[in-house]
């Protein structure tokens, strides 16, 4: 029963993770809902409410309160970076196919190593740095062979990847002391409202009449509102299942599953959206994934 439960958790994490990605692309491109800031706002609202229900109501993990003004400011800084990563990621999906988006996203280890070195002076073993060569080279090759390459979308995708890496490094620095350490689900519960506070005025100012357009689309096609609400709920479910899979397996298992998840998302997106792919593009993405696997192995050996 334990094995069946673990397999079910992994399947839930896969399906929610890939589901959010594909639904984002569907709403932003195929449905013509070109409002990535408002879409991110919906995600953060769902994360705020469902995190509170899960922690305070369902007691998934113990409730932790910020212990000082300094800790709250650190959480707010993480919330801003978290918000930036999601927004830029959603913006990139307006211009890039999911397959190429995943290829660029696979370079997260490269940015993590760079930020860790710049901010903590932490040096990895030479073998770890060598493994980053195919990670970056693969994306360069994939970029040259991508039929739907869009420079602005590519820059946004790189920004999202760098922001995710920066968040993970800063999270380790800012909340590393025993007195300030927060559980990942509590951290999400406090970061999401910070993101909402930033995104709400940004969406109202930068995406004119987005609420009216959303209501109008919902009236014309009720399925649109269902997709939007379901997609926003999935955004929280991704974080919940991420925590549960790590709890019942290990962080290393999550990394390995994450590598495979990217490949699965690429295949499914190509089948659904029928976006053109080139042999060079797939070759480049394969090199990147292989580099990420080598990077994880090198990191494991140096611990």
């Amino acid at each position: 029963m334990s094995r069946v439960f673990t397999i079910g958790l992994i399947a839930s994490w896969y399906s929610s993770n890939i589901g959010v990605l594909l639904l984002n692309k569907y709403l932003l491109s195929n449905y013509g809902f070109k409002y990535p800031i408002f879409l991110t706002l919906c995600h953060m609202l769902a994360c705020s409410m469902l995190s509170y229900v899960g922690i305070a109501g369902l007691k998934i993990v113990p409730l932790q309160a910020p212990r000082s003004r300094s800790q709250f400011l650190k959480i707010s800084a993480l919330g801003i970076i978290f918000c930036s990563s999601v927004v830029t990621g959603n913006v990139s999906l307006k211009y890039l196919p999911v397959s190429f988006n995943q290829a660029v996203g696979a370079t997260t280890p490269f940015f993590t190593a760079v930020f860790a070195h710049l901010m903590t002076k932490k040096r990895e073993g030479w073998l770890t740095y060598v493994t980053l060569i195919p990670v970056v080279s693969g994306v360069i090759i994939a970029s040259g062979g991508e039929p739907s390459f869009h420079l602005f979308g590519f820059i946004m995708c790189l920004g999202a990847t760098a922001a995710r890496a920066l968040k993970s490094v800063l999270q380790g620095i800012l909340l590393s002391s025993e007195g300030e350490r927060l559980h990942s689900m509590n951290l999400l519960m406090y970061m999401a409202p910070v993101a909402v506070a930033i995104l709400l005025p940004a969406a109202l100012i930068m995406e004119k009449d987005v609420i009216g357009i959303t209501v109008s689309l919902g009236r014309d096609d009720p399925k649109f509102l269902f997709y939007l609400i379901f997609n926003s709920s999935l955004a929280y479910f991704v974080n919940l299942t991420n925590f549960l899979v790590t709890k019942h397996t290990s962080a290393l298992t999550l990394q390995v599953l994450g590598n495979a998840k990217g490949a699965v998302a690429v295949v499914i997106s190509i089948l659904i959206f029928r976006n053109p792919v080139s042999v060079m593009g797939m070759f480049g993405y394969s090199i990147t994934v292989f580099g990420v696997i080598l990077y994880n192995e090198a990191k494991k050996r140096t611990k």
Side-chain angles (χ1 to χ4, degrees):
M1 286 299 294
S2 176
R3 182 174 295 181
V4 171
F5 177 72
T6 302
I7 292 172
L9 278 180
I10 293 171
S12 298
W13 180 65
Y14 260 54
S15 56
S16 59
N17 216 307
I18 296 172
V20 167
L21 189 66
L22 297 179
L23 271 174
N24 283 348
K25 180 66 176 177
Y26 184 74
L27 290 169
L28 290 166
S29 299
N30 292 48
Y31 229 103
F33 188 70
K34 301 185 183 299
Y35 303 101
I37 298 176
F38 184 76
L39 181 60
T40 308
L41 172 63
C42 293
H43 288 183
M44 294 300 103
L45 280 170
C47 285
S48 297
M49 294 184 291
L50 295 177
S51 291
Y52 184 78
V53 171
I55 295 173
L58 302 178
K59 312 290 184 185
I60 295 174
V61 296
L63 177 64
Q64 297 172 285
R67 299 185 180 183
S68 66
R69 182 171 177 271
S70 171
Q71 187 186 25
F72 178 75
L73 291 175
K74 292 175 182 178
I75 293 169
S76 299
L78 287 173
I80 293 169
I81 297 169
F82 177 55
C83 166
S84 301
S85 70
V86 179
V87 169
T88 49
N90 285 340
V91 169
S92 73
L93 285 172
K94 285 177 62 177
Y95 304 99
L96 298 176
V98 173
S99 53
F100 187 58
N101 180 281
Q102 288 293 286
V104 178
T107 60
T108 301
F110 168 77
F111 288 102
T112 303
V114 170
F115 286 130
H117 178 67
L118 292 175
M119 301 174 71
T120 67
K121 304 301 180 183
K122 180 182 177 182
R123 295 184 65 86
E124 303 286 353
W126 67 270
L127 186 60
T128 303
Y129 289 118
V130 168
T131 61
L132 292 174
I133 296 173
V135 171
V136 177
S137 301
V139 170
I140 293 172
I141 294 170
S143 301
E146 174 55 49
S148 306
F149 182 82
H150 190 284
L151 181 58
F152 179 72
F154 177 67
I155 292 171
M156 288 293 101
C157 197
L158 273 181
T161 306
R164 281 195 298 271
L166 179 60
K167 174 187 167 290
S168 66
V169 173
L170 275 178
Q171 187 171 322
I173 297 171
L174 298 180
L175 301 173
S176 58
S177 67
E178 207 56 49
E180 292 191 337
R181 190 172 296 164
L182 283 176
H183 189 281
S184 59
M185 298 307 295
N186 277 276
L187 185 59
L188 176 66
M189 184 176 71
Y190 293 120
M191 286 195 308
V194 173
V196 169
I198 297 168
L199 291 168
L200 181 58
L204 294 176
I205 295 170
M206 299 173 68
E207 299 178 337
K208 299 294 184 183
D209 198 31
V210 64
I211 295 177
I213 292 169
T214 303
V215 172
S216 177
L217 282 170
R219 285 174 180 167
D220 294 339
D221 185 356
K223 286 190 296 184
F224 168 77
L225 287 180
F226 169 78
Y227 289 143
L228 187 59
I229 294 171
F230 181 63
N231 184 34
S232 301
S233 302
L234 271 184
Y236 169 72
F237 201 63
V238 167
N239 291 280
L240 176 62
T241 52
N242 184 292
F243 156 66
L244 291 174
V245 169
T246 306
K247 179 181 177 181
H248 290 276
T249 57
S250 67
L252 180 61
T253 301
L254 192 74
Q255 286 179 339
V256 174
L257 291 171
N259 295 336
K261 183 267 299 177
V264 173
V266 168
V267 173
I268 293 176
S269 70
I270 292 171
L271 292 174
I272 292 176
F273 296 108
R274 307 288 182 181
N275 55 280
V277 291
S278 66
V279 174
M280 185 182 293
M282 292 308 297
F283 176 65
Y285 178 64
S286 300
I287 291 176
T288 295
V289 172
F290 181 65
V292 172
I293 294 170
L294 291 178
Y295 172 84
N296 290 332
E297 284 295 315
K299 288 277 289 183
K300 185 171 64 172
R301 292 186 182 184
T302 55
K303 286 182 179 179

